[in-house]
Every structure is written in structure tokens, then in C-alpha cells.
């Protein structure tokens, strides 16, 4: 199974992580609790009640973790900054020690020839801000912009790639309607409000990033998903696909790239809200021009119409999610490189922007073998299949500029705790020992083959 496909010159090879999933050190150097500390401590919310308290202890192992990236030949590293480290009170005073950690990380990456891709928000909202309403409070656009200014003001002389938000769909629909992520609310109307405020916070912060980091590329990372109906759909199935697509994709493609919510979305949600939280001029702010779009994609979604089906996603009454089709990963996620190809092309068309695949990967129940290695052929096969799909998307017209494996190392998989391993590097959580998996070796080989 050698991987033969060659990507265009300049294609960037990276790996990604997120602050809460790897850092640990949750109460060190002035960091305040975030909504995931609270969520994890709430019985029944996270498998085994596990939290990011220690995680991969990356906060204390940052230097050797960057050495590992260097050994793998990574050209770029996508990480996120923890808001509660930088502004522990959510708004107001900056905690210099917290900021210094990221400054050291950026320097170490650059010293090793690795380009930092910095995400400002990957879900660890300071708890103090959730106490003030979190993403439901319109003022969060200013709270987020002030925090952004603190980070970009400190790192903007060295960082050339900024991402405002990671997967705002998860911070809104999954967190406020479905309830599976912090803060765990189950109100579809709230999800709409949160989604709007996320887009607004993003758009408000974009010009501030441009001002403080001139010449840098500014982006957002979405998690668009290809929505499939049944093989033999009737009219109502087609409408179910449309509604699901609006709630999954259009909810952000619209405000970010078209200055409007997608067709039918406001009508389909009129029984939930009067939409008075959309103020005049908001959609001009949310559609601030960007330099590229980050796409995180793992699996497609399948739906059909079902009379009376209750679906927590806003505007999705009668939309029933149908089971994924095998093969599945350890997350139960459908493996479909074709859907990956299609959603890349769709994202390219909707945005008109260059695309970075900012996350893609798969979880498997890996173990360190008696020979000391981690043999994970399923992850390698998934990697090959999805890289090939991305390559086909380039041939079909998408301007895909790079790929970031999720994840550099096994880490805290949110509501699944430490039970799901996504790394190309294995982490033994008792010893914090890192072991490059076979898939990591293969990824390093593919990167090296592109250097020649
Ligand atoms: C994405 C998240 C990332 C990780 C992967 C598996 O939705 O952005 O943090 O959990 O899924």
C-alpha cells in the first residue's frame, strides 16, 4: 500500500491539536477554569468524568513535543490558544505569563522551521464568561475581539496564519441545542443565537487581526459535512436533506460568505424565534473578507424524512438521522473519502477561497505492541484514502493548499474523555511516553517524499 500520489509544489504538511485537549496544567500560571472544566466535573457529561486536568501534559513538555514534530518532518503545526490563560477574568487584564507560553511555543516552532497556524478559539471559553451568558450574549463579539487583540498584539510579529474560531457549529448547535458539548444546553433557539454571535465575533475580530498582524492570512475553520439522503429519495427526503444541510453547513456558509442565511432557514426556524438578535448590518460584519478557509472533515451525515421525528437541530423537525454505512472508525464515524472530496469542492465553491484541510483523521483502539511499536493499518488506510480524495478535489478545481493530520498525538477527545485515540503519535497517559505510530512513520515518509 505505498502512497504514490504527488501533491503540488508548496503543498503544506502539518498536524493539529487544541489547547484543552493536550495542555493540562489547568490551574497553573494564573489560568482560570473554562467551560470544559465545569462540564467534565458535571456528572454524566463526559465519559468517566475525565477532564483536561493533565491531558498530555504538553504545557510542561512543549519543547520536546516540538522536537517530535521536527522529527516527523512537519512543515506546519496548528494549535489553539487558551483564552482562560491569556485573560483569566474573560475580559480585562492580560495575564502575561499565560501569553508567554504561546510566545515560547511560536519561537520554538520557527526555530525548527515549522510554521505556526494559530487558532484563537477551540472551545475553552473562560467559565466566568459563560456565567455572563457566554455565546448567548451579544457583547461576546467585543470580549472575543479584545482577547484576540491581546494574542495577536503579542504574537502577530511572528505568526502568519490566524484562525478565529474552530468549528463554530460545535460551539453552537452541538453545545446549545444537542447538549453534547459544554455548556450542554438543549435549546435549538439558543443554538441559533450562539451561532450568530460566533459569526459576529469572528467578523468583528478579523479587521483587528489585519491591523495587528499586517500581511498575515486570516481564516476560520468550519466543519462542513456532506449530507446524503436515502438512495431513492422522495420529495420530503429532499426537503429533509435541505433542512439538515442548512443546520449543518448553511448556518455558517451563509453569514460568512453570502451575507445572508441560506434559503428557507429563517422560515424553518420562525416557530423558535423572531430572529430579533440579527441586527441591521450584522451580515456585512460576519462576511468580512478572508484569505483562506479551514475545513475539518471526518465523515458524512445521512438523513431522511420521518413523520414526527424530533431533531434537536434548529429547523430540522421531521429530519431523521439514519445510521452511518460501514466501514466505521472507532468513533462509529462512516469512512467515506468520496464525501470528503465532495465537501472540499463544495467548501471551495461556497467560499471562493483557498482551502486548508485543518483537521482530518480517525480513531482506533491502538495499543503499544510487544515490539514497542503501534501498528495502526486502519489509520494509515484512512489517511491514504482521504489524501487521495483531497488530491482529486484539487484536480477538480479546489485550491487546496495543505493538510493537517488530526491529531499530532492522542488526546482528550471531549465528551469521550481519553477513550478515543486520534494521534499519529501514541500517548501513554500513565507515563506520558510518546510513541510514533506506524501511521505517523508513514505520514513522515509521505512528507519527506514531497521534499525531493
Ligand atoms: C473535531 C474537533 C477536534 C477533535 C476532532 C476529532 O470536531 O475540532 O478538537 O475533537 O473533532
Amino acid at each position: 500500500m505505498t502512497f504514490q500520489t504527488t501533491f503540488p509544489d508548496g503543498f503544506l504538511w502539518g498536524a493539529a491539536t487544541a489547547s484543552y485537549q493536550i495542555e493540562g496544567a489547568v490551574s497553573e500560571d494564573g489560568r482560570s477554569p473554562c467551560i470544559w472544566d465545569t462540564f467534565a466535573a458535571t456528572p454524566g457529561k463526559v465519559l468517566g468524568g475525565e477532564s483536561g486536568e493533565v491531558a498530555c501534559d504538553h504545557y510542561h513538555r512543549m519543547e520536546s513535543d516540538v522536537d517530535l514534530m521536527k522529527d516527523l518532518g512537519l512543515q506546519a503545526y496548528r494549535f489553539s490558544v487558551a483564552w482562560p490563560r491569556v485573560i483569566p477574568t474573560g475580559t480585562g487584564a492580560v495575564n502575561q505569563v499565560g501569553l508567554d507560553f504561546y510566545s515560547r511555543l511560536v519561537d520554538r516552532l520557527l526555530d525548527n522551521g515549522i510554521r505556526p497556524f494559530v487558532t484563537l478559539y477551540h472551545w475553552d471559553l473562560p467559565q466566568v464568561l459563560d456565567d455572563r451568558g457566554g455565546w448567548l450574549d451579544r457583547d461576546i463579539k467585543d470580549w472575543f475581539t479584545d482577547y484576540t487583540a491581546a494574542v495577536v498584539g503579542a504574537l502577530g510579529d511572528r505568526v502568519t496564519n490566524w484562525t478565529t474560531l474552530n468549528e463554530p457549529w460545535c460551539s453552537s448547535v452541538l453545545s446549545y441545542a444537542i447538549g453534547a458539548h459544554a455548556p450542554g444546553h438543549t435549546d435549538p433557539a439558543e443554538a441559533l443565537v450562539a451561532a450568530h454571535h460566533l459569526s459576529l465575533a469572528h467578523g468583528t475580530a478579523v479587521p483587528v487581526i489585519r491591523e495587528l498582524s499586517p500581511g498575515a492570512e486570516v481564516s476560520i475553520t468550519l466543519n462542513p459535512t456532506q449530507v446524503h439522503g436515502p438512495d431513492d429519495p422522495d420529495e420530503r427526503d429532499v426537503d429533509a436533506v435541505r433542512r439538515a444541510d442548512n443546520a449543518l453547513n448553511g448556518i455558517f456558509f451563509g453569514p460568512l460568505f453570502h451575507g445572508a442565511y441560506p434559503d428557507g432557514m429563517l422560515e424553518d426556524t420562525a416557530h423558535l424565534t423572531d430572529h430579533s438578535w440579527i441586527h441591521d448590518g450584522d451580515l456585512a460584519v460576519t462576511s468580512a473578507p478572508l484569505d483562506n478557509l479551514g475545513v475539518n472533515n471526518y465523515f458524512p451525515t445521512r438523513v431522511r424524512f420521518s413523520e414526527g421525528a424530533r431533531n434537536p437541530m434548529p429547523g430540522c423537525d421531521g429530519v431523521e438521522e439514519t445510521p452511518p454505512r460501514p466501514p466505521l472508525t472507532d468513533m462509529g464515524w462512516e469512512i467515506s473519502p468520496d464525501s470528503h472530496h465532495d465537501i472540499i469542492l463544495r467548501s471551495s465553491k461556497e467560499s471562493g477561497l483557498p482551502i486548508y484541510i485543518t483537521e482530518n483523521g480517525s480513531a482506533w483502539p491502538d495499543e503499544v505492541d510487544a515490539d514497542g511499536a503501534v501498528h495502526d493499518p486502519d489509520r494509515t488506510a484512512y489517511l491514504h484514502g482521504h489524501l487521495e480524495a483531497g488530491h482529486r478535489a484539487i484536480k477538480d478545481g479546489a485550491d487546496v493548499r495543505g493538510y493537517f493530520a488530526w491529531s499530532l498525538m492522542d488526546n482528550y477527545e471531549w465528551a469521550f474523555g481519553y477513550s478515543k485515540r486520534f494521534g499519529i503519535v501514541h500517548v501513554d497517559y500513565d507515563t506520558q511516553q510518546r510513541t510514533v505510530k506506524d501511521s505517523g512513520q508513514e505520514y513522515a515518509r509521505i512528507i519527506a517524499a514531497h521534499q525531493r
Side-chain angles (χ1 to χ4, degrees):
M1 329 189 264
T2 11
F3 186 74
Q4 305 283 10
T5 312
T6 305
F7 282 76
D9 286 347
F11 191 84
L12 197 68
W13 300 93
T17 64
S19 44
Y20 192 71
Q21 295 179 276
I22 64 163
E23 285 179 0
V26 292
S27 39
E28 267 175 68
D29 293 340
R31 180 192 179 277
S32 67
C34 78
I35 54 176
W36 272 93
D37 295 300
T38 308
F39 198 62
T42 311
K45 297 298 184 190
V46 174
L47 195 73
E50 290 177 329
S51 77
E53 191 176 349
V54 178
C56 307
D57 196 33
H58 170 74
Y59 193 73
H60 300 120
R61 293 163 194 265
M62 179 271 281
E63 283 83 3
S64 51
D65 284 339
V66 175
D67 294 345
L68 184 60
M69 297 174 210
K70 172 85 177 165
D71 291 346
L72 288 166
L74 298 186
Q75 300 170 332
Y77 173 52
R78 172 176 180 259
F79 64 92
S80 74
V81 174
W83 188 339
R85 282 196 200 285
V86 174
I87 305 187
T89 43
T91 57
V94 170
N95 175 34
Q96 193 57 44
V97 205
L99 212 42
D100 286 347
F101 170 74
Y102 299 104
S103 187
R104 288 199 310 278
L105 169 58
V106 165
D107 284 343
R108 186 142 186 121
L109 290 167
L110 292 174
D111 286 347
N112 284 284
I114 301 168
R115 200 201 305 180
F117 272 56
V118 184
T119 300
L120 289 153
Y121 183 73
H122 197 132
W123 309 351
D124 38 5
L125 188 73
Q127 180 57 47
V128 284
L129 291 183
D130 188 57
D131 296 342
R132 288 161 69 180
W135 292 105
L136 300 176
D137 189 320
R138 189 179 167 89
D139 287 346
I140 199 162
K141 68 178 171 48
D142 302 316
W143 306 340
F144 177 70
T145 302
D146 290 349
Y147 155 68
T148 294
V151 178
V152 181
L155 311 179
D157 55 335
R158 288 157 288 159
V159 171
T160 54
N161 289 82
W162 292 101
T163 301
T164 53
L165 307 173
N166 176 72
E167 301 191 4
W169 182 86
C170 292
S171 310
S172 52
V173 180
L174 192 61
S175 301
Y176 284 92
I178 299 173
H181 276 194
H185 298 195
T186 51
D187 180 340
E190 283 190 5
L192 290 169
V193 177
H196 188 70
H197 290 160
L198 281 149
S199 296
L200 200 58
H202 154 81
T204 307
V206 168
V208 172
I209 302 175
R210 294 206 186 285
E211 189 187 318
L212 295 173
S213 191
E217 296 200 2
V218 185
S219 179
I220 187 169
T221 281
L222 301 179
N223 58 317
T225 178
Q226 190 69 22
V227 184
H228 298 284
D231 291 336
D232 187 13
D234 66 20
E235 244 171 60
R236 295 185 309 177
D237 293 318
V238 172
D239 191 58
V241 169
R242 180 191 64 81
R243 286 170 181 262
D245 190 73
N246 280 348
L248 288 159
N249 299 317
I251 187 170
F252 291 103
F253 279 151
L256 296 178
F257 303 120
H258 308 301
Y261 280 96
D263 279 352
M265 182 152 188
L266 298 183
E267 293 81 346
D268 293 337
T269 56
H271 61 295
L272 298 172
T273 169
D274 62 7
H275 304 108
S276 55
W277 34 266
I278 307 176
H279 296 190
D280 283 352
D282 278 3
L283 291 155
V285 175
T286 58
S287 52
L290 298 175
D291 300 305
N292 64 69
L293 172 64
V295 170
N296 290 357
N297 177 255
Y298 294 85
F299 59 90
T301 302
R302 297 191 175 273
V303 299
R304 68 170 182 203
F305 174 77
S306 169
E307 188 79 54
R310 292 180 58 150
N311 187 314
M313 296 198 297
C316 287
D317 300 331
V319 178
E320 184 194 310
E321 225 182 295
T322 54
R325 295 185 183 174
L328 311 181
T329 70
D330 193 35
M331 290 294 284
W333 291 351
E334 177 170 339
I335 302 176
S336 174
D338 286 344
S339 304
H340 186 63
H341 162 273
D342 294 352
I343 202 65
I344 294 173
L345 277 185
R346 162 97 182 273
S347 304
S348 159
K349 288 194 184 116
E350 294 268 358
S351 67
L353 293 170
I355 305 284
Y356 282 95
I357 306 303
T358 38
E359 283 181 30
N360 174 249
S362 57
W364 301 99
D366 309 305
E367 280 171 19
V368 181
D369 206 68
D371 64 2
V374 179
H375 304 301
D376 57 342
D378 291 329
R379 184 174 291 97
T380 300
Y382 182 102
L383 174 70
H384 286 170
H386 286 74
L387 284 177
E388 266 153 22
H391 188 262
R392 264 193 291 131
I394 297 175
K395 286 212 295 213
D396 293 340
D399 181 5
V400 186
R401 303 247 171 119
Y403 178 91
F404 291 78
W406 184 271
S407 175
L408 171 67
M409 55 186 151
D410 295 337
N411 57 47
Y412 180 72
E413 181 45 36
W414 308 111
F416 295 88
Y418 295 96
S419 68
K420 302 295 177 196
R421 295 181 176 274
F422 273 93
I424 55 171
V425 173
H426 180 274
V427 175
D428 177 325
Y429 294 111
D430 294 328
T431 61
Q432 291 298 343
Q433 165 98 28
R434 276 79 162 132
T435 306
V436 179
K437 300 178 190 176
D438 287 357
S439 62
Q441 315 275 13
E442 169 62 0
Y443 192 49
R445 198 196 59 73
I446 294 171
I447 299 173
H450 280 85
Q451 316 296 44
R452 284 189 226 116

